[in-house]
Amino acid sequence: MFHTLRARPHARALLLLLSSIAWPALLLAAAPQAPEPEWTPSPDGQWLHQRSTGLVWQRCVVGMHWTGKDCAGQPLWADHLQASAHARQRAKADGRPWRLPHLKELQQLARLGAQKTPPSLLPASGEGWVWTATIPIEVRSVNPYSYGNVMNGVTGQNVSQMKFLHAWVVNTATGETRDDVLKRTPMFVRLVRKSDEP
């Protein structure tokens, strides 16, 4: 019993020592960590990586390159067929799956462009209407008895066929979208791919 009573002060001292070490460590572990940024540029600045989707974007539209402060060069104006062909050629040349972005993906990039918070991750040069890989599939119903439709020869069938002549575009300066742009119209081209990192 005497040894038990004598050991208690040492146990208390040991307990105080451990708590003085453990509490700061626990507080540091519990401290909120700064969240990882959603968008980060590549070391050379040519690409932007989007953390939540794992997508890698060209920072500048096709035909332009990042100078360290802005995009320079002559942007490529291409119709939808040419833009799709360019994406396939780039994928083959680089050995990476470059493609045209889908509508929702390009809208996220447009929101980044609209932030305009310095330093701007998405430069203003080269902003404008950009092709997407998304084709409109909703077809409006057509009243076959409407005088205007009868006079213009508009039917449900040819409206459906007309929709396949259009594609969605996104204005990266404003975030505005349209699904009524003819595929033969020249627009900017911006490519995207999945990140090489898991």
Side-chain angles (χ1 to χ4, degrees):
M1 184 172 178
F2 177 71
H3 294 295
T4 307
L5 290 174
R6 279 186 47 186
R8 284 186 181 164
H10 295 297
R12 280 192 215 129
L14 183 60
L15 184 62
L16 285 172
L17 178 64
L18 288 174
S19 65
S20 67
I21 295 170
W23 279 109
L26 287 173
L27 289 174
L28 283 175
Q33 302 296 324
E36 288 185 50
E38 174 67 2
W39 298 89
T40 52
S42 63
D44 64 358
Q46 298 297 324
W47 320 107
L48 289 176
H49 179 261
Q50 187 179 9
R51 182 180 52 81
S52 63
T53 62
L55 293 176
V56 175
W57 290 87
Q58 287 185 306
R59 199 166 189 179
C60 304
V61 295
V62 172
M64 302 182 84
H65 64 277
W66 178 248
T67 64
K69 294 184 179 179
D70 203 353
C71 293
Q74 193 65 32
L76 171 71
W77 284 84
D79 63 30
H80 196 269
L81 186 64
Q82 294 166 335
S84 299
H86 180 81
R88 286 191 301 275
Q89 291 166 0
R90 182 66 184 267
K92 187 175 180 182
D94 287 0
R96 291 187 167 140
W98 291 108
R99 60 177 174 79
L100 293 181
H102 299 296
L103 175 65
K104 296 295 183 187
E105 294 168 341
L106 195 53
Q107 284 177 313
Q108 291 177 5
L109 188 73
R111 280 195 287 275
L112 172 67
Q115 288 176 4
K116 305 295 182 214
T117 52
S120 179
L121 291 176
L122 195 63
S125 56
E127 280 186 342
W129 293 101
V130 178
W131 282 120
T132 74
T134 308
I135 307 300
I137 55 173
E138 288 184 24
V139 179
R140 63 181 173 87
S141 60
V142 175
N143 180 353
Y145 304 107
S146 164
Y147 178 76
N149 289 339
V150 171
M151 292 306 294
N152 292 318
V154 175
T155 66
Q157 184 178 0
N158 61 19
V159 166
S160 298
Q161 291 168 349
M162 285 295 290
K163 277 299 186 184
F164 288 106
L165 301 176
H166 298 84
W168 280 93
V169 293
V170 175
N171 188 320
T172 53
T174 64
E176 184 182 357
T177 62
R178 292 183 62 176
D179 71 343
D180 60 350
V181 177
L182 287 171
K183 290 181 181 179
R184 65 174 182 254
T185 309
M187 295 277 167
F188 286 137
V189 181
R190 192 182 293 271
L191 302 181
V192 67
R193 66 174 171 82
K194 275 290 188 184
S195 172
D196 297 329
E197 300 171 4

